Amino acid sequence: MISLMINGERRKVDASPDMPLLWVLRDQLGLNFTRYGCGQGLCGACTILLDGEPVRACMTPVGELAGRRITTIHGLEGGVAKLVKAAWVELDVPQCGYCQAGQVLAATVLLRKNPKPSDADIDDALDGHLCRCGTYRRIRAAIHLAASRLGGAP
Amino acid sequence: MSRFDATALGRRDFLKVCGAAGLTLAAGSTAAAEPGEFVANAFVSIAADGQVTVTVKHLEMGQGVATGLPVLVAEELEVDPAAIQIAYAPADAKRYNNLFWGPSQGTGGSTATANSWEQLRKAGAGAREMLVEAAARRLKVDRAGLVALNGEVVHGASGRRIAYGDLVGDAAKLTPPDNPPLKAPADFRLIGRAGVKRSDSKAKTEGTAVYGGDIRLPGLVTALVARPPVFGAKLKDFDRRPALALAGVVAVVPISSGVAVVGTDFWSAHRGREALKVDWTTPANPPSTETIRRDWTALLDKPGLVARAQGEAEAALGRGSKRLSAVYETPYLAHAPMEPLNCVVKLSRDKCEIWTGCQFQTHDQAMAAKAAGLRPDQVDIHTLVAGGSFGRRANPASDYIVEGVEIAKAVGAPVRLMWTREDDIRGGYYRPMFLHGFEAALDAGGMPSAWRHRICGQSILDGGPFAAMIKDGIDFVSVEGAANLPYAIANLQVELHSPKLSVPVLWWRSVGSSHTAFATECFLDELAHAGGKDPLALRRALLADHPRHLAVLELAAAKSGWGEPLPPGKGRGLAVHESFNSFVAQVAEVTIGPKGEIKVDRVVCAVDCGIAVTPDVVKAQMEGGIAFGLSAALFGEITLKDGAAEQSNFHDYRCLRMSEMPKVEVHIMPSAAAPTGVGEPGVPPIAPAVCNAIFAATGKRVRKLPIGEKI
Ligand code: FES
Ligand code: FES
């Protein structure tokens, strides 16, 4: 049994330690909001936060996670996250939506650390998050919109 | 009461709970009435609490049908589109067929809005008329004195008003009108107006939208399929023991496409598939990109079947004062939607239920029935949203659906079939590779006087259920965008070779236009330069009889600052193309770095899609189409070596990233014409616009896609 802290709740799972967290979340715990896009750390669809840092769940063996704080889009809370999600909805960012949880998580972490990101900062933080629907312009605009409402304080 | 007890909750509440929690979906929604519900027609129902539900018959795969289609209803029904609840239609060709496809339900060819344009406005108007009639009887007033307004029927003279929810019982007893009056476009308050929001932004931002891979059923197992590594290979033998020896692997079964490894979860099935030992046959002459290129280049020297002939192209080629020839090439492309293919299938003796982002309901229903040994009406399809498709889920072979059904049948349990990204990239059903051979002549004034275009590539329709659409050997899908070249060139011939290969091919966002626009718009640019003409001026001169092409071209050119000088290292290119009855022009601006690095800075796009029902969705589709087309133009390429794809995942099948996305400005032509497609038409012009811009900046012609990161 591996004991995990997911979105503030303690969950016990019976999984082999090399099983990627992605499949523990999806198939063992029914937490479907974390999505499979490539399984090789190449797309960002499976992004979760590990102790507040964005991480690819498809590349993260569950055995290494005891005692770490795991946050999925479902547990993403706080003022910055709220502003990011509101900006996303206001600008109608999503198309198919499949990549968006990962994008929102990455954008939230960016703004928590850097409340006034430049376009280059956004490129750095989000370049590994593919969107086949091509919502990049709106993602960028939504990050700037959320930043403008942050008033500089994370 | 348990929160997820379906029987204790109303159907609507149950769906709401499931949707919000992303949990097991018990049933798709059908139009069966709840007590007290007013089912006005196949698309509109209203509950006693006033909740309006609109049934969407098309697949929402990102293109915005779940926003635009309800708006058509809301316009006539006089309700707030934001308050509408959406249900996805069951597979039912009688009620939910695509009106452009005859008796078949499905989504494709950018037809969703266009075929629903009248149908859904009538559905909304019909419901409205019944509510007004019910109110007139209740209030005992002449119905001429009543208006429907924001979910109520209002009696102007007395100020009395009745909410729709209070009229449902009476309205349900009335006969639906055959031809309810529709608004004049001048009276539209939603259609074509800014400010209508997407219906699905919140769910998709918070991650709660439900896709095929999210469905859980009691006893559900997960299957992956080992498919032939080489196109055309067949299963010879396999040893299931190494897979079955692993924890979590519950079955290994042969199916028609390969060997299915079934596990308790994805990871178990995945490990099982890696352990599985399979022998495949070795097909004779497996195709490689190099041999295909060599063979087809030779074919371009031979006349093909004539798809269009006007004037005397051959003779006129010899008479011009200048002659040009060029060969253009486009590769195989995978669709690579962000959500790899999947479906959930539950089979019983007399019923087959399927949950998936279904794009081809009627066809998939028939194919699933065949695989299950049932009748089509015994197959229920619960259409979910899809994480993209770009054509991949509209497969005449219903490949992933049939796999799901075959596995469910073999293992006797509900199955979730999953494709990995590697399966997706290597699995075929590609946009076909094409070669385009051109010969052209210019007259003494530098104007094109002859144009011969030979196209060579696999037919998508050939050998499938739609093969009857091939006329006189010409698959129109291979020549669309080329055979209907709009330019006034007196002597023009378009020919087609359709060689056969074992590589399965399929439509890919914008289909034939995804390669014909590149070839024709770049070659026309070559003619402009050879004739000493500005590319815009030449197009203008040749499009006099095509006002809609011309209008978007002028608009894009004007907004882009066409003709204004640019610093060295920068260039502008343009392209205009009609597809799916919409007209799109794009001007691309590029910067070439000191080492030849290509950066696409800005794209100005003008689109005429008739009435833009939801303008912001149209803009989003142009932005997305440009990103999708640019991915392919810069990086997209499946190459074959000895019958196998050489790419496997996003590291070698590169897609556009955030830092590579240009600024995009979209301008929508005002129009009073009925709506036409928007999901696909944004794609075709971007590759030629960028290549023409690269020429303007460097003097180098790109005749083969992908361009690559450097020139
Ligand atoms: S699924 Fe993990 S990065 Fe793509
Ligand atoms: S919204 Fe579809 S992949 Fe990003």
Side-chain angles (χ1 to χ4, degrees):
Chain A
M1 280 293 198
I2 300 169
S3 172
L4 299 172
M5 183 59 94
I6 302 172
N7 297 333
E9 270 181 55
R10 182 141 316 271
R11 308 290 297 258
K12 285 203 177 353
V13 293
D14 183 12
S16 93
D18 63 342
M19 185 163 172
L21 174 64
L22 173 62
W23 302 110
V24 174
L25 292 173
R26 292 190 56 84
D27 287 2
Q28 297 211 349
L29 299 172
L31 296 172
N32 281 325
F33 311 128
T34 308
R35 307 205 172 275
Y36 166 75
C38 71
Q40 300 288 339
L42 300 166
C43 76
C46 66
T47 300
I48 52 104
L49 304 186
L50 198 56
D51 297 331
E53 289 296 322
V55 154
R56 310 274 152 119
C58 70
M59 300 295 281
T60 309
V62 69
E64 296 169 5
L65 300 178
R68 315 280 303 270
R69 241 177 342 113
I70 298 162
T71 310
T72 71
I73 183 78
H74 198 42
L76 185 69
E77 282 164 5
V80 176
K82 231 192 210 137
L83 285 175
V84 168
K85 289 188 217 168
W88 240 250
V89 173
E90 191 171 327
L91 298 186
D92 277 339
V93 172
Q95 290 189 25
C96 83
Y98 200 78
C99 72
Q100 295 294 340
Q103 310 275 9
V104 168
L105 281 157
T108 301
V109 173
L110 168 66
L111 286 172
R112 278 177 181 167
K113 294 183 182 168
N114 177 358
K116 281 270 169 287
S118 65
D119 278 338
D121 296 334
I122 294 173
D123 286 347
D124 276 353
L126 278 98
D127 228 22
H129 292 261
L130 299 182
C131 175
R132 281 293 278 157
C133 298
T135 63
Y136 296 127
R137 286 188 66 248
R138 289 179 191 230
I139 291 174
R140 188 185 298 283
I143 293 173
H144 285 310
L145 178 63
S148 74
R149 289 171 179 166
L150 263 174
Chain B
M1 177 182 100
S2 139
R3 217 177 131 222
F4 301 115
D5 182 350
T7 51
L9 293 166
R11 168 177 60 90
R12 193 186 332 277
D13 290 332
F14 178 63
L15 288 171
K16 231 185 263 171
V17 168
C18 290
L23 290 167
T24 305
L25 233 69
S29 27
T30 63
E34 288 200 328
E37 194 171 25
F38 164 40
V39 179
N41 47 57
F43 298 97
V44 183
S45 64
I46 305 175
D49 63 0
Q51 175 68 57
V52 176
T53 301
V54 169
T55 299
V56 170
K57 69 177 181 179
H58 288 289
L59 171 65
E60 174 59 70
M61 47 188 152
Q63 85 284 40
V65 293
T67 302
L69 299 184
V71 162
L72 297 178
V73 172
E75 179 71 65
E76 293 290 345
L77 186 56
E78 302 295 357
V79 294
D80 175 6
I84 287 177
Q85 178 169 303
I86 289 151
Y88 291 101
D92 179 350
K94 284 205 182 67
R95 287 185 296 167
Y96 298 118
N97 60 318
N98 184 325
L99 299 181
F100 291 176
W101 291 2
S104 187
Q105 183 182 349
T107 305
S110 295
T111 58
T113 305
N115 94 94
S116 304
W117 170 238
E118 220 172 273
Q119 184 177 44
L120 287 184
R121 285 184 301 141
K122 275 189 177 166
R128 179 199 66 218
E129 291 299 295
M130 293 164 83
L131 291 160
V132 170
E133 177 64 28
R137 292 185 190 184
R138 174 94 55 91
L139 297 173
K140 302 198 169 52
V141 297
D142 184 29
R143 53 177 299 169
L146 295 172
V147 289
L149 203 66
N150 203 16
E152 297 179 318
V153 182
V154 181
H155 185 234
S158 66
R160 283 179 295 172
R161 45 185 68 218
I162 313 178
Y164 285 177
D166 294 333
L167 290 165
V168 295
D170 292 353
K173 294 184 192 118
L174 301 174
T175 310
D178 280 339
N179 269 312
L182 297 179
K183 280 184 186 173
D187 298 330
F188 289 157
R189 68 193 166 86
L190 295 170
I191 294 172
R193 303 273 175 259
V196 172
K197 304 292 291 171
R198 275 189 83 107
S199 63
D200 51 1
S201 284
K202 190 165 182 293
K204 287 177 172 177
T205 295
E206 294 177 351
T208 57
V210 178
Y211 303 84
D214 303 343
I215 298 298
R216 301 289 180 277
L217 301 170
L220 187 75
V221 291
T222 297
L224 269 63
V225 176
R227 299 180 190 83
V230 168
F231 294 116
K234 298 263 177 293
L235 179 63
K236 213 155 82 185
D237 197 10
F238 67 100
D239 181 0
R240 49 164 63 91
R241 284 168 304 185
L244 280 173
L246 297 174
V249 176
V250 298
V252 176
V253 292
I255 59 170
S256 46
S257 65
V259 182
V261 179
V262 185
T264 50
D265 55 85
F266 174 93
W267 187 244
S268 305
H270 189 257
R271 296 215 314 180
R273 186 173 71 168
E274 279 178 354
L276 184 75
K277 298 242 178 322
V278 192
D279 272 347
W280 307 97
T281 61
T282 313
N285 304 321
S288 292
T289 299
E290 273 177 31
T291 52
I292 295 172
R293 184 179 297 127
R294 191 194 58 210
D295 296 350
W296 293 5
T297 304
L299 263 185
L300 288 181
D301 290 336
K302 303 198 177 90
L305 294 172
V306 176
R308 176 173 169 191
Q310 86 190 19
E312 299 275 331
E314 288 302 332
L317 279 172
R319 284 198 304 264
S321 60
K322 202 168 195 176
R323 186 160 170 159
L324 279 88
S325 60
V327 174
Y328 282 78
E329 181 181 325
T330 55
Y332 289 107
L333 291 171
H335 302 72
M338 211 66 230
E339 177 196 20
L341 292 173
N342 54 46
C343 66
V344 168
V345 180
K346 184 175 170 221
L347 210 53
S348 61
R349 208 170 44 79
D350 55 1
K351 195 173 171 183
C352 173
E353 273 189 280
I354 299 171
W355 289 262
T356 193
C358 186
Q359 194 173 348
F360 247 17
Q361 285 87 351
T362 304
H363 188 73
D364 288 342
Q365 200 177 28
M367 296 296 279
K370 208 164 134 209
L374 296 170
R375 296 187 314 270
D377 64 298
Q378 293 172 301
V379 177
D380 280 352
I381 299 181
H382 308 289
T383 298
L384 308 169
V385 300
S389 166
F390 314 121
R392 182 61 182 88
R393 285 176 177 268
N395 188 338
S398 302
D399 62 333
Y400 71 105
I401 302 273
V402 169
E403 285 183 341
V405 174
E406 287 184 353
I407 301 165
K409 201 172 170 184
V411 300
V415 162
R416 177 178 60 153
L417 167 77
M418 305 270 291
W419 282 49
T420 63
R421 177 60 61 199
E422 287 79 8
D423 297 340
D424 173 59
I425 301 289
R426 290 185 183 145
Y429 294 107
Y430 301 132
R431 194 288 301 274
M433 175 177 170
F434 271 91
L435 293 191
H436 295 263
F438 290 101
E439 295 283 333
L442 302 178
D443 64 21
M447 293 300 283
S449 53
W451 169 287
R452 194 191 72 201
H453 182 182
R454 276 188 190 145
I455 301 172
C456 183
Q458 283 170 264
S459 159
I460 294 172
L461 299 180
D462 183 39
F466 306 120
M469 290 158 85
I470 299 175
K471 290 274 176 293
D472 302 323
I474 305 273
D475 177 349
F476 70 94
V477 161
S478 299
V479 298
E480 67 181 353
N484 54 333
L485 193 81
Y487 299 114
I489 300 173
N491 304 292
L492 192 150
Q493 181 135 321
V494 180
E495 301 171 17
L496 176 66
H497 292 285
S498 305
K500 291 179 196 283
L501 280 178
S502 56
V503 187
V505 292
L506 190 59
W507 23 70
W508 179 99
R509 196 175 186 177
S510 80
V511 198
S513 290
S514 73
H515 54 95
T516 57
F518 163 66
T520 57
E521 282 297 272
C522 287
F523 190 59
L524 192 83
D525 218 68
E526 294 200 43
L527 299 191
H529 288 279
K533 309 230 175 298
D534 171 74
L536 173 63
L538 178 66
R539 285 176 173 82
R540 224 180 237 150
L542 297 178
L543 287 172
D545 296 336
H546 290 270
R548 293 179 80 177
H549 285 81
L550 200 52
V552 289
L553 188 65
E554 298 285 8
L555 181 59
K559 298 286 182 186
S560 71
W562 183 264
E564 286 168 21
L566 284 170
K570 287 187 186 288
R572 250 186 229 110
L574 61 74
V576 60
H577 194 78
E578 175 193 356
S579 60
F580 310 96
N581 305 313
S582 290
F583 304 80
V584 179
Q586 289 168 6
V587 177
E589 235 175 78
V590 302
T591 302
I592 308 299
K595 299 201 184 76
E597 311 93 311
I598 298 160
K599 174 105 179 65
V600 182
D601 301 316
R602 174 180 178 231
V603 178
V604 177
C605 173
V607 50
D608 172 357
C609 57
I611 293 171
V613 173
T614 40
D616 195 51
V617 172
V618 173
K619 285 191 176 157
Q621 283 310 294
M622 293 302 124
E623 294 162 10
I626 287 165
F628 192 81
L630 202 50
S631 261
L634 292 173
F635 315 117
E637 170 173 46
I638 296 288
T639 53
L640 302 174
K641 180 101 184 103
D642 300 328
E646 294 186 287
Q647 293 73 22
S648 64
N649 206 319
F650 289 125
H651 64 293
D652 51 11
Y653 192 73
R654 267 272 270 124
C655 297
L656 198 78
R657 296 174 178 281
M658 170 71 88
S659 60
E660 294 155 345
M661 180 75 192
K663 291 198 181 67
V664 176
E665 295 160 38
V666 179
H667 303 279
I668 300 174
M669 289 292 296
S671 174
T676 49
V678 298
E680 297 169 271
V683 176
I686 188 64
V690 167
C691 292
N692 292 339
I694 290 173
F695 177 80
T698 64
K700 289 185 194 158
R701 272 293 160 201
V702 179
R703 296 198 183 91
K704 179 172 172 293
L705 294 183
I707 305 164
E709 309 203 1
K710 288 183 185 168
I711 179 84

